[in-house]
Amino acid sequence: MSGKDLLKLHSEILVKAKELGATLVGVANVDDLNKAPSYTVTPLMESYSGVGANKGRMSDLIKVGEVSWPEGVKSVVVVAYAHPEDQPELDYWYESIDPIGNKKLVEIVNGLAEWLQKNHGINAFPILYHIEKGGIYLKDAAVYAGMGCIGKNNLLLTPDYGPRVRLRALSLDIDLPSTGLAAFDPCADCEQPCTKFCSHGCFKEVVHNSFKYGREELPGRGGQYNRIICNTQMTRDEDKALEQNVPGIGESVRVVKYCRKCELSCPVGKV
Ligand code: B12
């Protein structure tokens, strides 16, 4: 494909994803991602098996924390779906049933993959969520896809929605360049309500250092984010889930409402 055709395809993908309901969309190249912080640092960290980790690993040949790219994948399309504060139900887990927002994202990536295959003959496949099952580090991918930056709350911050978005991706067998990093850093002059309002203490001290991992971009940017404490809070959220009558789901379903303090206290993107 010529450079001009690639550019045209890139913009057609953005238009189609929006048509399918994506709030934000962009492209990240696999060569860029393989050098990105989460992709290089996580395999060096002690292994993690809490909430958000899948116990069944795809293969023991892959190092814990390492991303396993399917053969032939050269770039990914990253899709974001806004989860505004006034629609908290987008984020609720109904026992083991996916949140509504997650279902929406899956619909969008499935629709986009089908459209790319049918209309452009591109091998495009939705990427699974869990790293252990073939997933990728979505926040870094979103940064390369031009959606925003990593904030001091350790979340992707987007100019219009702050951290209040959820992410998914699909793989492509064509070599599209990354949309590119955005010049955006709202944390620079912020008083950081995100880290102050975290009553669990997830940001209270530096727990990772750059000597060990060989780079400066660490969890919470400077190494202040502690996923073990955060995970403990999330398991508490699971324990305190109450039974509710949820139309369309069931009469007495346990509804899990995970903590979002670091996300909801962020002033970025609030009107
Ligand atoms: C496992 C997991 C968890 C675990 C462990 C989290 C962790 N960070 O280690 C637990 C259960 C604790 C958790 C908690 C939460 N999670 Co979570 N989680 C995941 C999952 C599945 C993998 C993340 C992971 O293991 N990363 C590896 C760790 C080591 O990296 P890290 O801590 O993020 O640190 C890296 C970045 O900060 C990066 N970085 C730092 N500076 C810079 C600069 C640049 C330029 C770049 C490119 C990168 C970069 O480098 C660091 C590594 O050195 C992803 C989905 C996915 N497939 O990506 C969702 C995901 C990250 N989680 C998400 C959310 C929303 C949450 C929670 C708010 C809970 C909730 N209510 O849903 C909290 C927030 C915690 C926080 N402040 O970070 C969203 C984030 C959306 C966003 N706007 O960023 C994701 C993308 C899922 C989704 N549905 O969209 N999560």
Side-chain angles (χ1 to χ4, degrees):
M1 226 186 262
S2 73
K4 206 172 145 203
D5 289 341
L6 285 177
L7 211 65
K8 188 164 170 265
L9 178 64
H10 189 282
S11 57
E12 278 182 33
I13 291 173
L14 306 194
V15 171
K16 186 66 191 177
K18 292 269 175 99
E19 208 180 288
L20 289 166
T23 308
L24 300 169
V25 56
V27 172
N29 190 278
V30 170
D31 288 343
D32 289 335
L33 293 185
N34 280 331
K35 291 180 240 147
S38 293
Y39 294 72
T40 63
V41 168
T42 318
L44 303 175
M45 291 172 82
E46 73 292 351
S47 68
Y48 170 81
S49 59
V51 179
N54 192 294
K55 308 292 178 278
R57 295 188 59 218
M58 196 172 73
S59 158
D60 286 337
L61 298 175
I62 307 157
K63 245 173 125 181
V64 175
E66 208 165 79
V67 163
S68 158
W69 293 104
E71 184 123 4
V73 172
K74 298 194 173 111
S75 52
V76 299
V77 179
V78 189
V79 170
Y81 190 66
H83 278 216
E85 193 165 2
D86 61 359
Q87 283 174 262
E89 66 284 358
L90 287 177
D91 230 47
Y92 295 167
W93 281 84
Y94 302 111
E95 297 191 354
S96 56
I97 301 175
D98 274 29
I100 303 166
N102 196 31
K103 286 208 171 80
K104 186 67 201 168
L105 274 170
V106 170
E107 258 172 53
I108 298 167
V109 290
N110 285 347
L112 198 56
E114 204 182 303
W115 175 82
L116 279 162
Q117 281 168 3
K118 267 201 196 137
N119 293 271
H120 294 280
I122 292 167
N123 283 317
F125 298 103
I127 298 179
L128 292 176
Y129 180 80
H130 295 102
I131 309 302
E132 306 78 5
K133 289 278 172 190
I136 64 169
Y137 293 109
L138 289 165
K139 291 182 295 183
D140 294 42
V143 171
Y144 278 90
M147 289 180 185
C149 67
I150 301 297
K152 290 190 178 167
N153 60 2
N154 199 35
L155 294 170
L156 169 79
L157 303 188
T158 66
D160 293 339
Y161 309 92
R164 294 167 293 281
V165 295
R166 297 293 178 266
L167 306 165
R168 279 275 176 158
L170 59 145
S171 64
L172 309 181
D173 65 349
I174 50 160
D175 207 358
L176 285 178
S178 295
T179 306
L181 280 75
F184 174 65
D185 185 12
C187 299
D189 302 315
C190 182
E191 294 196 350
Q192 280 178 249
C194 56
T195 57
K196 289 182 188 141
F197 286 5
C198 176
S199 47
H200 326 303
C202 296
F203 301 92
K204 73 173 187 301
E205 58 191 0
V206 174
V207 286
H208 303 285
N209 72 69
S210 49
F211 296 112
K212 183 167 173 196
Y213 301 115
R215 65 191 304 167
E216 303 289 330
E217 306 97 325
L218 298 170
R221 291 203 348 193
Q224 290 88 345
Y225 170 71
N226 186 327
R227 65 177 170 181
I228 306 300
I229 298 181
C230 188
N231 178 64
T232 305
Q233 176 55 39
M234 290 184 61
T235 52
R236 274 194 210 120
D237 297 335
E238 288 175 355
D239 295 342
K240 67 178 193 223
L242 297 175
E243 285 193 0
Q244 282 182 13
N245 182 2
V246 187
I249 307 260
E251 271 186 16
S252 52
V253 190
R254 292 185 75 241
V255 183
V256 182
K257 303 175 182 179
Y258 287 120
C259 178
R260 296 177 70 188
K261 275 189 187 153
C262 58
E263 187 191 0
L264 299 180
S265 60
C266 173
V268 181
K270 285 198 177 166
V271 276

